[in-house]
Structure formats: C-alpha cells, structure tokens
Amino acid sequence: MQTHTLWDARRRKIHLVIIFVVVYVVAVTLGLAFLCFPFMREPMQVFGQRMADRIRVPASGMFRQGGGRLQRSVGALRNAARDARVAMPSFSPWWLLSLLLLLLAPALAVVLRHWHAYDGFDHTYSRDKNARIAELLQGEQLVPPPRLPPDLFTTREVEQAHPLADSASRQWELLDADFRQRLLMAFKLMREQHGYEMVLLEGYRSPERQAQLASLGPAVTHAGAGQSYHQYGLAADCAFMRDGRIVISERDAWAARGYEHFGAVAEAVGLSWGGAWRTLVDLGHVELPRTGVLPRRSASA
C-alpha cells in the first residue's frame, strides 16, 4: 500500500536531516583537515583566495554604486582584525571556526529538541495524547465484537491485499490483554468519531504462518518467523466494513480518508501505525512495541 500526506511530510523531514548531516560532516572534516594536516593548508588557502577574489569583484561594484560608507566600514573591520592578529600571534581563526562547527550540531539539537520527536527509541513510552482516552483505557474493559462470517474474508479484494486471509487467526482472546484493549478502543473511536466500522483481518500469527507469508516475498512481509509482533499477540491487521463487505484498498477515496483517521486514532491510544513506516508501508497494521520482545526493531508486518 502507498501512504499519503503523512508519509510525504515525514519523508521531506528525513531528506532535510540527511542534507544537514552531510553538509555538517563535510564542513567539520575540512576544518579539522586544515588544522591537523599542514600540507593541506596551502591548497585550501589558494582555493579560498580564488573564491574570495571572484566575490570581491562584483561586491566592490556594489560598494561603489551604494557609496563608500560600507566599503570604509569593511576596511575598518579588516584593519581591526589585522591588529588583533598582531596582538595575539598565537590565535588562529581556524581554531575558532572548527570549534563553532563542532558545537553547531549539539547546539541545534538543544534548540530543536521539542521540534519533532522520533518514534522507536523507547517502546515502553506511553503515547496517550488524550487524557480522556487514557482514562477510558484504565477504567473501561471493552468486549470484542462477534465473529464475522468467514466468506467475508475470501473476496478478491481481501485476497489481493492480504494473502491467505481465509486461514488467518481473528481470535481476540489470543491477543495480549493490553494491546487488545487499545485496539478495541481504536475501533470504538473510529466508529463514534469518524463513522468507520473496523474489522480485524488478522491478529495472532504462528511462527509457521509467518514463515509461510515471508516465503511470498518482501511485498507481503519483511519479517521471518519470530521477527514480527504478530507472534506475540502484539500486532493486528485491520480494514473497514462498508455495505456488508470489507474494504481494504486505499485507492477508494473513502478508505484513504479512513486510514488517515485510523493512523491518528491508533497513535492516540498508544499504538504504532504501519502507515508511518519507512519501508513496507502497511496502512491497516498496528502494533504495541515492547522492548526486548523482538531480536531487533523491524518495520515489517
């Protein structure tokens, strides 16, 4: 499945972070190379002088057009810098520049520490963003809905989007108790707040079934036996019910809007949504990550 605006926004943020890290590493590397390797100083100084000469020519024209006041100010600053270097012969501006480059990233991290919180560092952290939802999770014990007729899960749409769905487990009692309550709460909020009736496509998954799905290729799952939260009752694949049939495909505009609501609701009740993954995007998948359950963190269904 392909995700929509949420994933596009996160991808743009990731690209900006990657660009910043690359530029930062290159700048610091050049600065440290200038300080630590004397044989590199002369070529770098020559290159810098050439670039400065190219900039100085158009800049001087701008100074002449705008009057000599700015040019005189620049000259005064240059003379002051020369005097400072004479007064402190041991001082090198390259040391200061390298120090500033080294401190730039930590300083930005401190300033922007509340700008965006990336998920996945502490899976035991509660994502309850709404006090009312947190209160309901603590006090109300929701009951799983009645089982649906098996023939609803054998349609062409279900089989294409969720292979082997007819043999999947939809037994709520096999799910982890905490995860089960959070998922039922998500279903309830989707129904009451957004008018979407949700259905459970698959919950608990045995290691044998996980291996069987993995053999179908990476388009189905990236996780082998024991590498998915499904094996521990901590994950579920979900879809929508409309007019007596299951709707999965996000090509349906109604379902596409539903997945956006489902992602927000799932995160509000403390679940991780597969639509926010970076690799195999799975809009109907939710899970309750726990530290130490899986051998490694894996964004796979």
Side-chain angles (χ1 to χ4, degrees):
M1 295 183 181
Q2 299 295 324
T3 188
H4 309 285
T5 13
L6 179 62
W7 169 237
D8 292 336
R10 295 192 178 191
R11 184 168 53 187
R12 286 194 294 270
K13 290 181 181 179
I14 293 170
H15 289 168
L16 289 175
V17 170
I18 293 175
I19 292 173
F20 170 76
V21 170
V22 171
V23 172
Y24 172 74
V25 170
V26 171
V28 171
T29 302
L30 292 176
L32 293 178
F34 185 87
L35 291 174
C36 300
F37 302 104
F39 66 88
M40 296 187 64
R41 295 177 185 174
E42 185 175 354
M44 293 175 66
Q45 287 177 334
V46 171
F47 176 78
Q49 186 62 41
R50 289 179 179 176
M51 296 300 296
D53 291 340
R54 291 183 179 181
I55 297 174
R56 188 179 297 117
V57 174
S60 61
M62 293 175 60
F63 293 155
R64 286 194 298 271
Q65 294 176 2
R69 181 178 302 175
L70 182 59
Q71 191 173 7
R72 289 193 298 271
S73 300
V74 173
L77 291 174
R78 187 179 300 167
N79 293 334
R82 187 183 304 113
D83 294 341
R85 292 186 63 180
V86 172
M88 296 182 293
S90 60
F91 172 77
S92 172
W94 294 104
W95 284 103
L96 179 59
L97 178 60
S98 299
L99 180 62
L100 291 176
L101 288 174
L102 288 171
L103 295 178
L104 179 60
L108 286 175
V110 172
V111 173
L112 303 177
R113 63 186 183 275
H114 298 304
W115 176 53
H116 184 77
Y118 287 96
D119 190 18
F121 293 99
D122 181 9
H123 304 314
T124 63
Y125 174 75
S126 174
R127 298 179 182 84
D128 295 332
K129 302 176 182 179
N130 185 291
R132 175 58 179 163
I133 295 175
E135 180 182 349
L136 291 174
L137 286 171
Q138 290 294 328
E140 185 175 358
Q141 293 299 309
L142 300 174
V143 178
R147 293 189 180 184
L148 296 173
D151 56 353
L152 287 176
F153 302 91
T154 59
T155 64
R156 183 178 179 182
E157 179 179 357
V158 174
E159 182 60 30
Q160 286 181 342
H162 199 86
L164 306 179
D166 57 333
S167 59
S169 171
R170 286 176 281 274
Q171 295 177 264
W172 287 86
E173 60 271 19
L174 296 181
L175 298 178
D176 174 86
D178 186 19
F179 172 68
R180 180 172 62 244
Q181 285 300 308
R182 291 175 185 270
L183 183 60
L184 288 171
M185 179 60 67
F187 280 21
K188 178 180 179 180
L189 294 175
M190 284 293 294
R191 180 174 58 255
E192 295 179 352
Q193 295 183 0
H194 305 292
Y196 283 83
E197 193 68 36
M198 304 289 299
V199 297
L200 176 65
L201 290 177
E202 182 168 12
Y204 170 77
R205 188 182 293 166
S206 68
E208 294 76 19
R209 176 174 172 81
Q210 185 69 42
Q212 183 183 19
L213 292 174
S215 68
L216 299 179
V220 177
T221 180
H222 290 176
Q227 297 178 339
S228 171
Y229 281 114
H230 278 285
Q231 272 91 87
Y232 306 93
L234 292 168
D237 297 322
C238 310
F240 308 108
M241 177 73 77
R242 182 181 62 186
D243 298 331
R245 69 181 186 90
I246 295 176
V247 180
I248 300 179
S249 175
E250 78 282 5
R251 290 190 295 270
D252 186 306
W254 176 82
R257 290 192 301 271
Y259 282 124
E260 293 180 358
H261 294 313
F262 185 51
V265 168
E267 293 181 355
V269 299
L271 299 178
S272 178
W273 178 48
W277 287 345
R278 301 179 184 180
T279 51
L280 178 62
V281 176
D282 193 345
L283 299 174
H285 179 94
V286 289
E287 61 187 29
L288 182 61
R290 284 183 182 166
T291 303
V293 173
L294 297 183
R296 61 181 179 84
R297 176 64 174 157
S298 174
S300 47

